[in-house]
Amino acid sequence: MSTPPSLLRIVLVDDERMVRTALRAILSSEPDLEVVGEAGSGAEAVPVVRELRPDVVLMDVRMPDVDGIRATERILGTLPDPPRVIVVTTFENDSYVYDALRAGASGFLLKRARAAELVQAVRLVARSDSLLFPAAVRALAAEHAAARGPDREASARALRDRLSEREAVVLRLMTDGLSNSEIAARMAVGPATVKTHVGSVLTKLGVRDRTQAVIAAYESGFVTPG
């Protein structure tokens, strides 16, 4: 008998009940996904997530009072071993989305996304070995990073100095959106070696996952648009 897949536990945060109902229906139809709770506001999200300890939170980015950016900051900043956060938005090229990614969200999803894209996004972010919608993340970083970053020449040099030559190559390939297996093939090394390098890059940059590593690479000037 085959072993059933382990369930990914999900919390939905959106101020529109109909949106939460639609998301729940899509996700609950998958054998490896379980919606364990909901919150109707950013303020409600933190205690709900603290109690239920999900693997992934789907977070509406624009909500009254406490928006998805602040709620993401609170969840990631106050909970031990916090979940991955995917912000859900109407507009992808949005400073709100970029601020949510800077706050620690692992990716974003458009509200008009197809059901298959929603399911794939949750699984991909939970697995965390590649970027969610890498082209869109790079486009956001390219547009917003220069205005948010410090002196770029000095900060790019400081970032390079923290990384070994191999780690610098891995970071550049991460910003291109390559998964661990794709990086391994490109560098002609084993996946375990890449996983070690990725972990070292995240530690040296002081970031939680590869989305924040990409943002750090752009904001420092280590990677430039174009």
Side-chain angles (χ1 to χ4, degrees), residues 11-223:
V11 162
L12 309 175
V13 183
D14 197 294
D15 61 335
E16 295 187 32
R17 182 182 296 275
M18 288 181 63
V19 172
R20 300 198 309 270
T21 299
L23 292 174
R24 177 182 282 274
I26 293 168
L27 295 169
S28 297
S29 68
E30 298 295 320
D32 59 329
L33 306 180
E34 179 184 16
V35 176
V36 295
E38 301 181 9
S41 69
E44 291 176 15
V46 179
V48 169
V49 171
R50 180 181 291 115
E51 177 184 356
L52 299 176
R53 306 310 304 268
D55 302 295
V56 176
V57 176
L58 284 176
M59 176 80 71
D60 185 18
V61 73
R62 291 178 183 260
M63 292 180 287
D65 299 326
V66 178
D67 63 21
I69 301 166
R70 303 285 86 78
T72 296
E73 288 177 339
R74 293 178 186 179
I75 287 170
L76 299 183
T78 62
L79 300 181
D81 192 24
R84 304 281 174 179
V85 176
I86 302 173
V87 293
V88 183
T89 179
T90 303
F91 307 105
E92 63 182 290
N93 193 7
D94 187 335
S95 61
Y96 272 78
V97 176
Y98 188 71
D99 286 341
L101 296 179
R102 292 183 88 236
S106 295
F108 71 92
L109 190 68
L110 295 177
K111 287 194 172 182
R112 64 177 181 270
R114 298 187 300 272
E117 290 177 323
L118 169 64
V119 170
Q120 179 189 30
V122 170
R123 290 173 178 152
L124 188 65
V125 164
R127 192 168 64 239
S128 72
D129 66 352
S130 60
L131 281 175
L132 175 61
F133 305 135
V137 171
R138 289 199 305 272
L140 270 173
E143 178 171 352
H144 296 282
R148 311 294 181 92
D151 176 65
R152 292 167 69 75
E153 184 175 344
S155 60
R157 184 167 57 250
L159 188 150
R160 281 194 299 269
D161 289 346
R162 276 182 272 171
L163 304 178
S164 70
E165 184 175 342
R166 274 289 180 91
E167 289 165 352
V169 172
V170 167
L171 177 56
R172 291 191 184 278
L173 295 175
M174 288 166 61
T175 64
D176 286 339
L178 273 64
S179 66
N180 285 0
S181 59
E182 290 168 334
I183 295 173
R186 183 75 62 88
M187 296 179 68
V189 298
T193 299
V194 172
K195 186 176 181 179
T196 298
H197 285 321
V198 169
S200 182
V201 168
L202 299 184
T203 298
K204 290 182 178 181
L205 297 186
V207 297
R208 183 164 179 252
D209 64 22
R210 59 210 302 141
T211 302
Q212 281 71 54
V214 169
I215 290 173
Y218 273 95
E219 288 196 347
S220 69
F222 176 79
V223 172

